Amino acid sequence: MRKIQKMKRWPGLSLLCMLCFFRAGAIEVVASHKVFYVPDNNGYSAYAEVYWQIAPSSLLFMEINPGQLIAKVKTEITFRNETGVVLQDKYIMQTNPVATQQQAFAQNITELQRYKLPPGKMWMELKLTEVIDSNSQFYAVDTIQVTPP
């Protein structure tokens, strides 16, 4: 009888272990953009500000040195129109090194980029991918209409 009770505990213990190590496969992001117009020699030119904030608890942090945790996110921003790619930017963001996971999760991870854009209708794509886990991504597409005043 005692052996049967122990065997009943294993499925529950296995489930608990899986839940403790389960991680959602997506970076949690709040992103937006805005188009601004500035005077230039030919009237006005446009630029887009693209900005986002990443929830640090949705990232995997790695230890680069003893007591130094960081996360890295590959960033890809693409502006397209009917004829193809208008502008593309790719780089890797890295968080500041911290000593503990609690400090890592307390970080404010924000980014702002500005891009000069030609007039017309475009689609902006924002793709963020964790360097440590390429399955953990954020992807968004939005329409931008650049119409100088």
Side-chain angles (χ1 to χ4, degrees):
M1 183 71 167
R2 191 170 185 106
K3 194 173 190 178
I4 294 173
Q5 286 178 342
K6 285 184 182 181
M7 290 177 75
K8 287 182 182 180
R9 291 182 191 159
W10 280 108
L13 183 60
S14 297
L15 179 62
L16 179 63
C17 287
M18 285 190 320
L19 291 176
C20 288
F21 296 106
F22 177 76
R23 182 173 174 274
I27 301 173
E28 296 175 16
V29 178
V30 175
S32 192
H33 61 83
K34 184 71 179 166
V35 175
F36 295 94
Y37 300 94
V38 292
D40 68 4
N41 297 337
N42 301 327
Y44 287 92
S45 62
Y47 70 91
E49 281 191 352
V50 183
Y51 39 92
W52 61 93
Q53 182 172 10
I54 300 173
S57 60
S58 69
L59 298 175
L60 285 174
F61 286 81
M62 65 179 167
E63 190 170 42
I64 54 169
N65 292 316
Q68 287 190 318
L69 298 171
I70 63 163
K72 291 183 179 183
V73 178
K74 180 180 175 185
T75 305
E76 300 173 70
I77 302 169
T78 307
F79 292 90
R80 299 179 192 276
N81 62 15
E82 292 86 17
T83 60
V85 174
V86 174
L87 184 136
Q88 190 170 42
D89 192 12
K90 295 180 180 182
Y91 59 93
I92 294 184
M93 295 173 44
Q94 177 180 308
T95 62
N96 292 324
V98 293
T100 67
Q101 189 172 12
Q102 183 179 8
Q103 291 172 330
F105 288 175
Q107 292 185 74
N108 186 9
I109 305 170
T110 57
E111 184 74 17
L112 169 78
Q113 294 291 336
R114 290 184 178 158
Y115 300 100
K116 187 173 181 179
L117 298 175
K121 181 179 179 179
M122 281 171 256
W123 294 270
M124 182 200 72
E125 299 174 12
L126 173 62
K127 182 178 179 184
L128 306 174
T129 308
E130 278 197 82
V131 172
I132 298 172
D133 177 9
S134 61
N135 291 322
S136 179
Q137 297 182 347
F138 171 83
Y139 181 77
V141 178
D142 202 358
T143 305
I144 294 179
Q145 182 66 45
V146 177
T147 313

